[in-house]
Amino acid sequence: MEKSAHNLQMVDLKGQYEKIQEEIDSAVLEVIRSTAFINGPKVRQFQANLEAYLGARHVIPCANGTDALQIALMAIGLQPGDEVIVPAFTYVATAEVIALLQLKPLMVDVDPDTFNVTAEIIEQAITPKTKAIVPVNLFGQSCDMEPIMEVARRHKLWVVEDNAQAIGADYTFQGGQRQKTGTIGHIGCTSFYPSKNLGAYGDGGAIYTNDDELGPRLRTIANHGQVKRYYHDLIGVNSRLDSIQAAILDIKLRYLDEYAEARRTAADYYDKALAGLDQLQVPVRHPRSTHVFHQYTLIVKDGRRDALQAYLQDHGIPTMIYYPVPLYEQVAYKKAMANHFDMLPVTDYLCRSVLSLPIHTEMEEGALKYITDTLIAFFKA
Ligand SMILES: *Cc1c(COP(=O)(O)O)cnc(C)c1O
């Protein structure tokens, strides 16, 4: 079998680093020499720059995206047993923090084109015990947030956006007003896991809000519930972004829009090259959102997903399945959801049919051509 000469990877963190190596190395060295490892000026500087970039009144850096979600849910004063609506087609962290806080994850299906929850799906699931919604901006584009916020207003529900995969994307309201994803719900959460669109060189996360009461409350909870040193008004957690990560992120933030553009250029190439294949559905771009392509995810029709994945692997092309198992079928969540429903048809179908191709900021045209030629050859064979 012919192997690719392209050394293909799902993400190319090394190639990305090499382009900004001087800036990164000197920023990291500066933190080490300052010894201000925790809560140093670099953390405040990154926080201010991220607030400006997002147009958010409050950014609270924290240790990772899962903590961000947990702190967000702690801040809105839910009671054990309250229901939180969450898509079943997402990364486990979204439901995990709900369950950890003794809340009930109310899993719902997603739209088969955008892979995101919609206002209609959410509204049908609401019960008198529902208190919050966690829409996930999956794979790099926004949920259709304007109608979701309308449903939330009508039913007095909190909205916590899981924006771990879509930092930098813009959502456009009916009136033409544009807002960054994660700043539309009451609280937004993001992850700086290295492979995310804004990736640290370790773990990191952030919470954002435009609410002047929630902002300080979130900051207090992330810092042991401490209002001033050694005075604890709330039960909190210890969740910090360290100064080295903040220094790295502050540099990478300057390139975030450029990175999104590079990902979109790769996605455009894939779209065009694969357009003629009826056996695939290329990602559907929602007209209200820009897409920052955290993942480029195909639907492979006719049950041929696993065969295609094996064929690509034989030709040196890595792919990933995000996500192979619906949340309600995970062993840890199965029992809790058992009385609720057997399965959600779209989530079930997507888990059997999706395939994500390599996409990152360093994709070259030769690699894209090799990947798409190989895909076409599979279906023509
Ligand atoms: C990555 C991710 C998280 C969790 O982020 P960590 O920093 O790994 O804790 C949560 N939700 C979604 C959708 C993610 O992709």
Side-chain angles (χ1 to χ4, degrees):
M1 206 63 79
E2 184 215 342
K3 286 270 179 186
S4 156
H6 295 289
N7 184 28
L8 297 166
Q9 309 167 70
M10 286 301 288
V11 286
D12 181 5
L13 297 180
K14 191 158 194 282
Q16 192 189 60
Y17 164 62
E18 281 166 0
K19 285 190 182 160
I20 52 171
Q21 183 167 1
E22 266 176 48
E23 279 178 283
I24 295 277
D25 290 3
S26 77
V28 169
L29 210 55
E30 192 187 320
V31 174
I32 293 172
R33 288 182 174 147
S34 77
T35 70
F37 298 121
I38 298 291
N39 282 334
K42 286 285 182 194
V43 179
R44 285 189 294 277
Q45 185 186 316
F46 170 61
Q47 175 195 313
N49 287 332
L50 189 57
E51 283 168 350
Y53 174 84
L54 295 170
R57 291 179 56 81
H58 308 271
V59 165
I60 297 94
C62 66
N64 57 66
T66 309
D67 275 7
L69 287 162
Q70 180 177 333
I71 293 161
L73 290 173
M74 288 171 79
I76 55 180
L78 305 181
Q79 300 302 315
D82 285 351
E83 289 171 352
V84 180
I85 292 177
V86 60
F89 188 62
T90 180
Y91 183 57
V92 69
T94 325
E96 185 176 55
V97 295
I98 296 170
L100 264 178
L101 294 171
Q102 315 227 344
L103 307 166
K104 192 168 166 15
L106 199 60
M107 294 178 194
V108 297
D109 220 349
V110 294
D111 175 73
D113 286 333
T114 60
F115 311 126
N116 280 333
V117 289
T118 65
E120 295 75 45
I121 294 170
I122 288 166
E123 189 148 35
Q124 279 169 21
I126 293 170
T127 81
K129 291 176 99 177
T130 308
K131 294 290 150 55
I133 312 166
V134 185
V136 180
N137 300 321
L138 203 70
F139 299 153
Q141 72 180 332
S142 182
C143 295
D144 194 359
M145 287 305 290
E146 189 167 8
I148 289 176
M149 293 311 290
E150 269 164 35
V151 167
R153 253 190 302 276
R154 229 178 306 124
H155 296 270
K156 299 194 165 52
L157 305 177
W158 293 101
V159 178
V160 175
E161 281 180 82
D162 183 342
N163 198 42
Q165 301 189 0
I167 192 167
D170 289 308
Y171 178 80
T172 307
F173 287 79
Q174 226 151 28
Q177 169 207 358
R178 275 161 83 99
Q179 232 168 295
K180 289 285 178 203
T181 52
T183 68
I184 300 163
H186 302 103
I187 306 177
C189 297
T190 211
S191 163
F192 303 126
Y193 186 80
S195 63
K196 296 282 155 82
N197 286 35
L198 181 57
Y201 292 181
D203 273 311
I207 313 156
Y208 15 106
T209 186
N210 285 315
D211 184 312
D212 290 339
E213 274 172 45
L214 281 175
R217 192 174 163 81
L218 289 160
R219 202 176 300 283
T220 301
I221 292 172
N223 183 27
H224 293 294
Q226 185 167 262
V227 282
K228 65 180 186 192
R229 203 154 204 194
Y230 304 124
Y231 290 81
H232 305 270
D233 284 11
L234 299 169
I235 295 177
V237 295
N238 174 27
S239 189
R240 296 184 285 242
L241 182 73
D242 71 71
S243 305
I244 289 180
Q245 300 308 332
I248 292 163
L249 289 166
D250 199 40
I251 289 165
K252 289 185 71 179
L253 179 60
R254 297 173 208 154
Y255 297 95
L256 184 59
D257 288 341
E258 218 174 280
Y259 289 162
E261 206 46 55
R263 288 170 175 274
R264 264 195 296 272
T265 302
D268 289 346
Y269 186 101
Y270 278 140
D271 277 1
K272 219 167 140 204
L274 302 175
L277 292 175
D278 295 338
Q279 300 94 330
L280 294 178
Q281 181 178 303
V282 299
V284 174
R285 304 186 195 194
H286 194 282
R288 293 290 196 85
S289 176
T290 60
H291 203 318
V292 294
F293 286 100
H294 176 60
Q295 298 297 339
Y296 185 89
T297 303
L298 298 168
I299 295 178
V300 186
K301 299 176 190 169
D302 311 316
R304 299 188 73 193
R305 191 262 315 266
D306 293 352
L308 174 61
Q309 183 175 41
Y311 181 87
L312 294 174
Q313 183 166 354
D314 281 344
H315 289 78
I317 300 170
T319 57
M320 289 293 280
I321 296 169
Y322 302 113
Y323 294 90
V325 182
L327 279 188
Y328 53 83
E329 278 183 16
Q330 297 288 357
V331 174
Y333 297 96
K334 218 171 172 153
K335 217 166 136 209
M337 299 316 292
N339 304 328
H340 218 72
F341 53 76
D342 288 335
M343 62 112 144
L344 300 170
V346 176
T347 298
D348 184 73
Y349 174 70
L350 292 177
C351 289
R352 286 184 285 112
S353 312
V354 289
L355 190 66
S356 297
L357 300 181
I359 193 156
H360 50 75
T361 59
E362 314 302 311
M363 298 286 297
E364 276 163 11
E365 195 157 323
L368 288 162
K369 183 170 182 342
Y370 174 74
I371 293 168
T372 51
D373 284 351
T374 310
L375 258 153
I376 291 164
F378 171 81
F379 287 111
K380 294 281 152 69

